Amino acid sequence: MKILVINAGSSSLKYQLIDMENEFVLAKGVCERIGDGGSMTHKTHDGKKMEAEKDFPTHKEAFVELIDVLTKGEYAVIDDVNEISAVGHRIVQGAEKFSKSVLVTEEVVNTIESIADLAPLHNPAHVLAIRACMNVFDKHVPQVVVFDTAFHQTMPKTAYMFGVPYEYYEKYHVRRYGFHGTSHRYVSRRFAKLIGKKVEDLKMITCHLGNGSSITAIDGGKSVDTSMGFTPLDGILMGTRSGNVDPSVITYIAEKENMSGNELSLLLNKKSGFLGISGRSSDHRDMIQFSNEGDERSKLVLDMLYYQIRKYIGAYTAVMGGLDALVFTGGIGENSYTARESVCRNMDYFGIKLDKEINQKFNRTEHEISSAQSRVKIWIVPTNEELMIARDTKAIVDSLNQ
Ligand code: ADP
């Protein structure tokens, strides 16, 4: 069974074609600048790469082109579109409507549309892509939606409510939703498998650290708390997002600078974080380089980031009443031994003890990095959200065929 995994934005469409017999990625790529010209990058499993300017007025033309590239010419990896058995879509916001992945029906699409207010930049784009897909693929090809928020629907109310008047939860669904759920679910399951234990028997903290970062407390396989909130803005310092700040800082800045809601949102989402503090870059690698060159504000970024991660680890260990495993993933978590070492420094009293040498040796590889004396297992587990989406899609399609 071959599954096409789609991650659609308002002007982009990322894709992977995965052969589920061996979970092998046959091809992947991205269509960009949809609605404003168009370009496409496509890579095949045997190293062929295509980059081309295209004409993508809407998502539909991007789908038509992508099927063309997958099936015809020198970058083709399948002979016929009918070899694609199903399509799995990443959806950012499922709110309280979706606690697991589901088969796409008209009702499901309408529900995703109905919660667009909660993710105005993402959900409408996902709906466009689903509808374009319905147009381009035979209607018998099942489509499945996999939500970033679904994994966190197990959080208790104590963890997901904010201390604002209750009516805003009732009227506007204001609460913590959490994001990166597909990644936290993937790495937690994968970690349990790697150490030969049941996820139900483990208390773990998964740190997804990238341009966007989130930390999740997973007790017995279920998310019990997570650092991102109503939107992905909450939690720790990120590339361009502020992470949590005292809310009155925002109203104060708004008054001083005479800023509108939209301007504030731009400030907090795009101009804060590493970029806002350093004034130079939103990239973690740059922060390390600039800090090594003596740049004080880049050093401050790194100190703040590692400090905040450590606070979450302490808090979530308390929440779960113990900790068996700490898992690092995402661009920073998988690649930066400096980040992992700084986060785990002086945590012996928690039973967290890193093996510094092993930590320095492994990047982007599934590997244990805790020392033999560490009570808590520390691991790097590279994330694979596309594979998780493909697995969910396959499971739903298989259940249909039974
Ligand atoms: P996204 O959240 O956009 O998916 P990624 O998970 O790819 O982002 O993470 C990107 C971040 O990972 C960037 O800040 C980048 O600097 C950081 N990163 C990647 N490789 C390294 C490395 N070797 N050392 C330190 N940071 C790294």
Side-chain angles (χ1 to χ4, degrees):
M1 179 188 292
K2 295 184 182 87
I3 290 178
L4 183 65
V5 176
I6 296 294
N7 181 356
S10 54
S11 66
S12 71
L13 204 156
K14 285 192 200 136
Y15 62 90
Q16 279 196 11
L17 183 65
I18 304 180
D19 186 346
M20 296 310 285
E21 296 310 314
N22 45 16
E23 299 192 334
F24 186 70
V25 178
L26 295 167
K28 61 175 155 184
V30 57
C31 301
E32 288 173 293
R33 291 194 287 114
I34 298 173
D36 178 30
S39 64
M40 184 173 182
T41 309
H42 174 85
K43 288 185 203 160
T44 63
H45 62 90
D46 50 0
K48 286 188 216 135
K49 186 173 176 188
M50 181 206 83
E51 278 176 308
E53 293 299 305
K54 299 279 173 189
D55 185 22
F56 294 146
T58 70
H59 286 73
K60 185 178 164 195
E61 288 77 17
F63 268 112
V64 170
E65 182 65 32
L66 122 74
I67 291 168
D68 231 45
V69 174
L70 287 172
T71 53
K72 292 181 203 139
E74 94 177 271
Y75 306 101
V77 289
I78 50 175
D79 294 325
D80 193 289
V81 65
N82 291 326
E83 287 182 47
I84 299 176
S85 307
V87 183
H89 295 264
R90 175 213 179 197
I91 310 290
V92 166
Q93 179 58 278
E96 291 182 342
K97 306 280 185 191
F98 299 100
S99 56
K100 58 180 178 16
S101 305
V102 294
L103 185 72
V104 171
T105 60
E106 198 51 41
E107 193 190 339
V108 164
V109 180
N110 291 339
T111 310
I112 295 171
E113 231 167 5
S114 75
I115 48 180
D117 263 6
L118 299 174
L121 296 179
H122 293 100
N123 276 30
H126 301 323
V127 169
L128 278 178
I130 296 170
R131 294 214 188 279
C133 219
M134 283 169 164
N135 257 311
V136 172
F137 282 92
D138 187 284
K139 65 175 186 310
H140 300 300
V141 176
Q143 296 192 54
V144 166
V145 278
V146 180
F147 300 87
D148 279 16
T149 48
F151 180 58
H152 300 300
Q153 279 296 302
T154 47
M155 275 190 289
K157 204 161 188 173
T158 332
Y160 72 66
M161 289 300 288
F162 294 122
V164 295
Y166 197 85
E167 64 184 280
Y168 297 118
Y169 170 61
E170 292 176 315
K171 273 204 292 196
Y172 305 128
H173 317 288
V174 171
R175 51 158 285 178
R176 177 180 308 283
Y177 290 105
F179 297 86
H180 287 147
T182 312
S183 173
H184 291 291
R185 181 158 61 101
Y186 173 82
V187 297
S188 57
R189 271 58 186 165
R190 182 68 195 152
F191 166 76
K193 196 162 186 199
L194 285 165
I195 64 160
K197 291 213 166 148
K198 286 196 188 137
V199 76
E200 290 77 15
D201 297 334
L202 295 168
K203 292 178 191 295
M204 60 176 110
I205 296 174
T206 48
C207 302
H208 179 119
L209 312 174
N211 282 319
S213 297
S214 67
I215 302 180
T216 299
I218 304 176
D219 195 351
K222 292 184 177 154
S223 169
V224 293
D225 204 350
T226 191
S227 61
M228 283 180 168
F230 179 61
T231 71
L233 185 56
D234 201 9
I236 59 169
L237 194 72
M238 302 176 223
T240 60
R241 295 189 194 122
S242 61
N244 42 31
V245 290
D246 175 348
S248 52
V249 168
I250 299 161
T251 46
Y252 185 77
I253 293 176
E255 267 176 38
K256 290 279 180 198
E257 299 271 326
N258 199 15
M259 278 184 170
S260 67
N262 279 344
E263 286 168 329
L264 278 172
S265 173
L266 192 73
L267 179 82
L268 296 167
N269 279 291
K270 300 278 183 205
K271 297 182 182 171
S272 296
F274 304 176
L275 180 65
I277 303 274
S278 73
R280 295 183 69 180
S281 164
S282 62
D283 193 282
H284 183 254
R285 270 168 299 199
D286 288 345
M287 292 301 102
I288 294 177
Q289 187 196 322
F290 299 157
S291 165
N292 288 339
E293 290 165 2
D295 184 65
E296 285 297 325
R297 275 159 56 180
S298 299
K299 180 172 182 307
L300 176 63
V301 164
L302 296 176
D303 289 345
M304 286 172 69
L305 173 70
Y306 305 149
Y307 176 77
Q308 292 178 7
I309 299 170
R310 289 159 60 81
K311 283 215 300 198
Y312 270 101
I313 293 172
Y316 287 170
T317 303
V319 161
M320 293 189 288
L323 185 66
D324 300 309
L326 179 62
V327 179
F328 289 97
T329 196
I332 299 173
E334 292 168 26
N335 292 299
S336 175
Y337 65 83
T338 318
R340 297 188 301 257
E341 186 180 319
S342 307
V343 167
C344 295
R345 186 169 295 148
N346 292 334
M347 284 219 173
D348 300 27
Y349 62 94
F350 266 144
I352 294 174
K353 205 163 162 43
L354 194 78
D355 185 316
K356 286 189 189 169
E357 274 179 34
I358 294 184
N359 179 48
Q360 291 193 8
K361 265 194 229 153
F362 290 94
N363 280 328
R364 203 152 269 196
T365 314
E366 291 174 337
H367 210 281
E368 179 168 3
I369 50 172
S370 36
S371 76
Q373 300 85 44
S374 187
R375 198 181 43 71
V376 173
K377 294 250 174 243
I378 316 170
W379 274 68
I380 304 167
V381 180
T383 193
N384 196 338
E385 287 158 281
E386 292 79 11
L387 180 57
M388 197 78 234
I389 293 171
R391 283 183 183 165
D392 280 10
T393 305
K394 180 176 185 302
I396 289 177
V397 173
D398 284 347
S399 72
L400 290 175
N401 294 336
Q402 270 165 18

